Amino acid sequence: WSSDVCSSDLTEYVKEMFDNFAPDFDSTLNDLDYQAPNLIYDAVSKNLKKSLFSKYHIADLGCGTGLCGEKLKKYASFKGLIGIDLSEKMLDCARRKKIYSQLICDDLCHYLENSDYLFHLITASDVWTYFGELTKPFVRVSRSLLPNGLFVFTFSENIFNKDDYFLTPSGRFVHNPSYVEKVLKNSGLRLISCEHQILRNEAESPVYGYVVVARKPDITNVPVEK
C-alpha cells in the first residue's frame, strides 16, 4: 500500500470497490448503524454561523450516495452543494436522490488542487479511512476554504499502536488523534473540537473514532504586532 493520497493504485482500488458496493451501500450501512453522517450534521449545526438569510457553499468530499448531503442540503445556498467522489456508480445513486447541485467524479485531492471554487464548509464522512498520510489533502482543504470556513470530518481511531496512522488487516487506515491535530495545525487550520464517538458497528461490536471540527482563521482580522 502507498500512503500517498494521489497514488493511482490506491485510487483505482477504492474506485472499483465502491463501484461494486454502490447498489447495496445504503442498506449495508443501515445494518451497521452507521452514525458518521448524523455526527457530522450535529457538529455542523453546532458550529456553523447561522442567520435567517445566509446560505453556504458546501463541498461534500467522498459524498458516496449522498448520506451526508441529505442532511447538509438545508444549509446550502442555491447551487451551492457539491459532491465529489471517485465512484461514478455511487454518484449515480446520489444523482437519483436529487440532493446536490453538482456531482463530480474525481479524486478529491485532484479536484481541490485544480478548482478555484472556495467553500464555507467542507465535510468528509469516513473518507480518511482510505488515506494514510493526511498532509496533502488537509493542505488542499485549507486552500479551498474561505476565511472562517469549517472543515468537519470523521476518522477511525488507531487502537493498534501509537503510530500516526496504521493500515489495518481490513485494508483501512486508522489514525491517532494527536497526529490529526498536528496535521490540521500545520495546514493552517485551527482545531475547534475532537469528540470520541461510535461511528458504526462491525461484528456486533462498536467501532470508535472521532468527529472533528476545524476552522480556517481569518488572518485579515488578526491584529498586527507593533
Side-chain angles (χ1 to χ4, degrees):
W1 281 99
S2 167
S3 62
D4 184 349
V5 65
C6 293
S7 163
S8 59
D9 290 342
L10 179 58
T11 296
E12 285 304 313
Y13 167 79
V14 174
K15 179 181 183 300
E16 182 178 355
M17 179 178 64
F18 279 104
D19 275 347
N20 293 331
F21 192 15
D24 302 315
F25 186 78
D26 286 10
S27 61
T28 299
L29 293 191
N30 183 63
D31 291 342
L32 297 176
D33 195 24
Y34 182 56
Q35 291 300 311
N38 292 326
L39 293 170
I40 285 179
Y41 173 75
D42 289 344
V44 167
S45 299
K46 291 176 184 176
N47 290 276
L48 197 62
K49 293 182 178 178
K50 299 182 289 294
S51 75
L52 200 58
F53 305 103
S54 295
K55 294 289 184 179
Y56 301 91
H57 298 296
I58 301 171
D60 185 12
L61 304 181
C63 66
T65 61
L67 296 179
C68 267
E70 290 174 310
K71 299 178 180 300
L72 298 172
K73 186 176 181 179
K74 62 181 289 187
Y75 292 120
S77 62
F78 179 64
K79 295 187 177 181
L81 181 58
I82 296 177
I84 302 98
D85 201 279
L86 275 174
S87 168
E88 187 62 55
K89 291 186 178 180
M90 295 285 275
L91 293 178
D92 286 342
C93 294
R95 193 171 289 113
R96 287 193 288 270
K97 296 178 181 179
K98 298 181 179 180
I99 300 165
Y100 298 91
S101 52
Q102 188 177 2
L103 287 168
I104 298 169
C105 189
D106 199 356
D107 172 86
L108 66 89
C109 172
H110 182 266
Y111 171 77
L112 294 174
E113 181 72 15
N114 292 279
S115 175
D116 294 327
Y117 205 103
L118 297 178
F119 299 93
H120 300 99
L121 171 66
I122 295 177
T123 61
S125 175
D126 276 0
V127 170
W128 311 124
T129 193
Y130 302 103
F131 292 68
E133 168 63 50
L134 296 177
T135 298
K136 289 182 179 181
F138 280 22
V139 167
R140 285 158 172 76
V141 166
S142 182
R143 291 173 181 169
S144 298
L145 280 172
L146 289 161
N148 290 317
L150 289 177
F151 179 30
V152 182
F153 61 93
T154 60
F155 69 91
S156 297
E157 179 182 16
N158 182 6
I159 60 173
F160 296 90
N161 52 47
K162 295 183 180 180
D163 293 348
D164 289 342
Y165 53 86
F166 177 72
L167 182 62
T168 68
S170 69
R172 296 180 176 89
F173 285 99
V174 291
H175 294 83
N176 188 312
S178 62
Y179 166 70
V180 173
E181 182 175 356
K182 178 180 69 176
V183 177
L184 285 170
K185 182 178 179 180
N186 291 342
S187 303
L189 298 167
R190 183 168 65 88
L191 180 67
I192 303 299
S193 62
C194 183
E195 297 183 357
H196 196 230
Q197 299 281 0
I198 296 174
L199 301 182
R200 64 186 180 279
N201 293 314
E202 286 186 7
E204 299 183 358
S205 297
V207 175
Y208 286 91
Y210 293 84
V211 56
V212 177
V213 179
R215 188 182 298 278
K216 182 175 182 177
D218 184 354
I219 59 174
T220 61
N221 291 330
V222 176
V224 178
E225 294 184 2
K226 297 182 179 179

